[in-house]
Amino acid sequence: MKINKILLAIVILVTANSYGQGGRLLREKKEQIKAMKVAHITNELSLTPDEAAKFWPLYNAFEDKQHEIRAQKLKGYLDRIDDESFDNLPEKEAATLLAQMESTEDELYQTRKKFIASLKGVISPLKILKLKKAEEDFNRKLLQQYRNKRVGR
């Protein structure tokens, strides 16, 4: 009986440790991706030290705001629509959810528009265009790496 209790305690400790490490590993992975993105954007935009000092606080605030909007709003209604109930969603509720999603997308658009306006005094219009391309290239590259990893399993 004592051996069962000891084994149970070991299993619980190992499981708890694994979950703790999983959260830490996820945070580390996110930080690693963010660092890669920063390096990619810095390289693609050829930011001067003065530009970088002004650009990165604006960019980080923009990214945080986008994340906040997505986490609070989009995820909220997407979570309400699971596969089982989606086909049985009443039209009125579907219209309400659609209006909420459109509002959130508009808020994301307005946030980006304000961000671009704030960049105009910091970097050239060409670098602003390069930023958009650099973000898209980075996302494409990241997605390709993920796909390659999944196929390699």
Side-chain angles (χ1 to χ4, degrees), residues 24-67:
R24 183 177 49 83
L25 291 174
L26 183 60
R27 279 190 305 277
E28 287 174 4
K29 195 65 162 169
K30 284 182 180 180
E31 289 172 12
Q32 181 183 23
I33 290 170
K34 185 170 180 152
M36 289 169 36
K37 185 175 184 179
V38 167
H40 180 77
I41 290 172
T42 300
N43 183 51
E44 292 298 311
L45 269 54
S46 301
L47 295 173
T48 66
D50 186 48
E51 288 173 332
K54 294 174 186 173
F55 171 82
W56 286 111
L58 293 173
Y59 188 82
N60 291 334
F62 166 68
E63 288 270 294
D64 291 345
K65 182 66 176 172
Q66 274 193 316
H67 177 74

Side-chain angles (χ1 to χ4, degrees), residues 98-110:
L98 184 59
Q100 289 173 343
M101 288 175 64
E102 289 172 332
S103 173
T104 300
E105 289 296 330
D106 186 52
E107 189 176 350
L108 287 166
Y109 170 74
Q110 294 301 325

